[in-house]
Amino acid sequence: MLDKNGIAQRIAQELQDGTYVNLGIGIPTLVANLVPEGMQVEFQSENGILGMGPFPSDDEVDADLINAGKQTITALAGAVYFDSATSFAMIRGRHVQLTVLGAMEVSQSGDIANWKIPGRLVKGMGGAMDLVASADNIVVAMMHTNKRGESKLLPSCSLPLTGVGCVRRVVTNLAVLDICDGAFHLVERAPGVSVDDIKAATAGVLIAPSSVPEMQL
Amino acid sequence: MALDKTVSGVEAACQGIEDGMTVMLGGFGLCGIPECSIGELARLGVKDLTCISNNAGVDDFGLGLLLKARQIRKMIASYVGENDEFERQMLSGELDVDLIPQGSLAERCRAGGAGIPAFFTPAGFGTEIAEGKEVRQFDGKPHILESALTADFAIVKAWKGDTAGNLIFKATARNFNPAMAMAGGITIAEVEELVPAGALDPNQIHTPGIFVQRIFQGAHYERRIEQRTISTASSNK
């Protein structure tokens, strides 16, 4: 079973050379530190920067330079700042190739819910609805089950949706799964996790080939 | 000759903002928010405001100050997760809230300032924010119709400005400020440094002064940081 850093390490294998990538808040943020050596990937943060760098040192901190999670950041050589309308033109116009984001629930048809629990928690969708509606490749990074041990991979989402039919791949603490033809297709197992473990933790339709390789981290 | 947009200060800038008006405020989180003008709105005590801003501040800063004083009747925003009082007022029904996708919010402001009454976007199709909105297919993909947003007043914060109202923003403090500057009936710009017309390089200006009606140099900027994250030797490895 993976921890959050392990999930981020596996997500990092989804990065492709020469692409622009948007990382959501939480586990996806960790991916920024795990770009394979020699690979060129530029990170977009939807509040208005391309070329996001690591967190600043204490004396580099600038209140005017933050990421979409409101964390202080730095800008790499070649970075650029822009306004919110331009930022979402990049996203809506499909100039950002990969979006990695967290989720509360994902359905076997690729629906995602991550912005609201009616009557209990309302944070808002931020840029998530724009991102999932437009990116060509959307990967969800999340734990396989919630804090009560219930599956987050469902036949259909019970929470208000963020987007429909948009998620292509899910990376969890237990597995890598692709979504197509209304089912979760098991691609890889986390180290030490059996196919039966994954079946037990997946409420939606799960299709597993006779042999499922273990993740190579 | 460049028109002079300068006003004496924050009091003159906010003159005419009255109960029940719609006010747009730039900023993302606490980054690039018009601190001085928010302070003045709190001092004036104007109420029943409809505020359009990406976030709602935190409990004791930014728009949180106006929320705590119950000056906001309706909030149009995309993300409000950092404000407990906001969440309490929304869940109890005291505050009317319209949550909309961040990109749609930005584009709706831009459209409002650009004379485009509505546009189609894929964001939010199939979700509850699409309810009641026209759906149309383009290239086989469903889109929903979103309308433009305008406001009685738009209040923006810039790094530098000149007396003609031309604005330059710093880093990610630009965010919603340029689009909102375009969409205000009256747009107020507060700047950290106000210089004479001609002192800024026209090549470097982000918001042309035609979108700004009042400009003043603010003072005592706190520039508060929400999440101060620092690299340590270990996290850089």
Side-chain angles (χ1 to χ4, degrees):
Chain A
M1 194 188 299
L2 303 177
D3 61 6
K4 289 181 177 181
N5 273 307
I7 295 174
Q9 276 180 39
R10 180 57 191 82
I11 295 270
Q13 295 175 13
E14 302 293 314
L15 300 174
Q16 292 188 350
D17 194 29
T19 56
Y20 295 103
V21 177
N22 182 289
L23 301 175
I25 297 166
I27 299 172
T29 306
L30 303 172
V31 177
N33 300 322
L34 300 168
V35 180
E37 205 151 323
M39 183 181 280
Q40 290 188 22
V41 172
E42 196 157 358
F43 292 112
Q44 197 247 23
S45 199
E46 66 269 23
N47 58 312
I49 178 174
L50 262 175
M52 178 171 53
F55 296 146
S57 65
D58 204 39
D59 53 4
E60 288 174 326
V61 167
D62 181 350
D64 290 330
L65 184 46
I66 63 171
N67 63 18
K70 283 100 179 177
Q71 298 171 312
T72 48
I73 53 165
T74 54
L76 299 175
V80 58
Y81 307 117
F82 36 84
D83 71 278
S84 300
T86 304
S87 179
F88 282 91
M90 294 174 189
I91 291 163
R92 213 184 294 103
R94 298 161 83 180
H95 305 282
V96 175
Q97 282 101 353
L98 172 65
T99 285
V100 183
L101 76 173
M104 297 171 182
E105 296 177 344
V106 173
S107 84
Q108 62 197 29
S109 56
D111 299 348
I112 175 172
N114 72 352
W115 70 284
K116 181 180 185 181
I117 301 173
R120 204 153 66 78
L121 173 88
V122 186
K123 301 253 180 236
M125 67 292 283
M129 282 192 184
D130 309 271
L131 283 158
V132 301
S134 294
D136 287 328
N137 194 6
I138 295 163
V139 175
V140 165
M142 67 176 191
M143 304 305 277
H144 212 98
T145 55
N146 64 23
K147 283 173 187 160
R148 294 182 302 280
E150 300 158 346
S151 180
K152 295 170 71 173
L153 290 83
L154 305 170
S156 64
C157 294
S158 64
L159 296 171
L161 295 180
T162 306
V164 292
C166 52
V167 179
R168 301 285 180 84
R169 177 164 274 203
V170 183
V171 178
T172 75
N173 52 324
L174 303 183
V176 177
L177 308 103
D178 281 346
I179 297 174
C180 64
D181 302 326
F184 296 103
H185 295 257
L186 188 52
V187 178
E188 292 174 17
R189 299 172 291 113
V193 174
S194 72
V195 173
D196 285 343
D197 293 336
I198 296 162
K199 277 184 179 162
T202 306
V205 174
L206 180 73
I207 296 173
S210 54
S211 162
V212 181
E214 190 171 288
M215 293 180 199
Q216 301 296 314
L217 297 173
Chain B
M1 184 183 169
L3 307 187
D4 187 353
K5 308 292 178 68
T6 52
V7 293
S8 55
V10 69
E11 288 178 33
C14 292
Q15 206 162 47
I17 299 181
E18 293 170 4
D19 294 355
M21 281 188 167
T22 297
V23 182
M24 263 176 200
L25 301 106
F28 177 90
L30 301 179
C31 181
I33 60 171
E35 290 182 25
C36 295
S37 302
I38 291 171
E40 176 66 6
L41 293 182
R43 194 190 69 80
L44 287 170
V46 285
K47 56 185 190 300
D48 295 326
L49 298 174
T50 294
C51 288
I52 304 172
S53 188
N54 188 59
N55 309 84
V58 294
D59 283 329
D60 64 342
F61 196 60
L63 281 182
L65 295 172
L66 306 187
L67 279 167
K68 201 160 60 178
R70 314 301 299 275
Q71 290 175 259
I72 303 176
R73 182 179 52 79
K74 180 175 183 178
M75 187 78 216
I76 298 174
S78 89
Y79 190 83
V80 294
E82 282 92 4
N83 192 313
D84 294 337
E85 174 63 11
F86 180 99
E87 199 157 344
R88 189 196 67 72
Q89 287 185 23
M90 174 164 60
L91 291 173
S92 70
E94 296 161 66
L95 178 70
D96 191 6
V97 178
D98 194 1
L99 285 171
I100 54 186
Q102 190 178 338
S104 297
L105 177 60
E107 191 64 15
R108 288 175 73 180
C109 295
R110 198 197 72 82
I116 295 170
F119 58 91
F120 282 96
T121 175
F125 171 76
T127 75
E128 66 181 44
I129 71 118
E131 285 166 16
K133 290 173 184 164
E134 184 182 340
V135 176
R136 202 183 291 183
Q137 307 269 336
F138 294 93
D139 294 329
K141 185 172 172 176
H143 294 69
I144 63 174
L145 187 66
E146 291 282 11
S147 58
L149 286 170
T150 55
D152 296 306
F153 282 81
I155 311 179
V156 301
K157 150 86 195 302
W159 182 33
K160 294 177 182 175
D162 68 18
T163 53
N166 297 308
L167 305 176
I168 295 175
F169 303 93
K170 190 180 153 213
T172 57
R174 195 181 318 181
N175 55 61
F176 281 84
N177 286 299
M180 288 184 171
M182 295 167 68
I186 294 175
T187 292
I188 300 165
E190 57 173 82
V191 299
E192 289 182 46
E193 186 186 356
L194 183 62
V195 298
L200 298 177
D201 178 355
N203 286 303
Q204 304 298 326
I205 287 163
H206 299 130
T207 289
I210 192 169
F211 296 121
V212 174
Q213 280 68 49
R214 302 174 184 175
I215 190 167
F216 69 97
Q217 183 170 303
H220 310 299
Y221 281 103
E222 184 179 333
R223 300 167 82 243
R224 195 187 289 192
I225 292 170
E226 253 175 276
Q227 307 278 345
R228 187 186 177 90
T229 43
I230 305 290
S231 282
T232 58
S234 61
S235 73
N236 268 345
K237 275 176 190 166

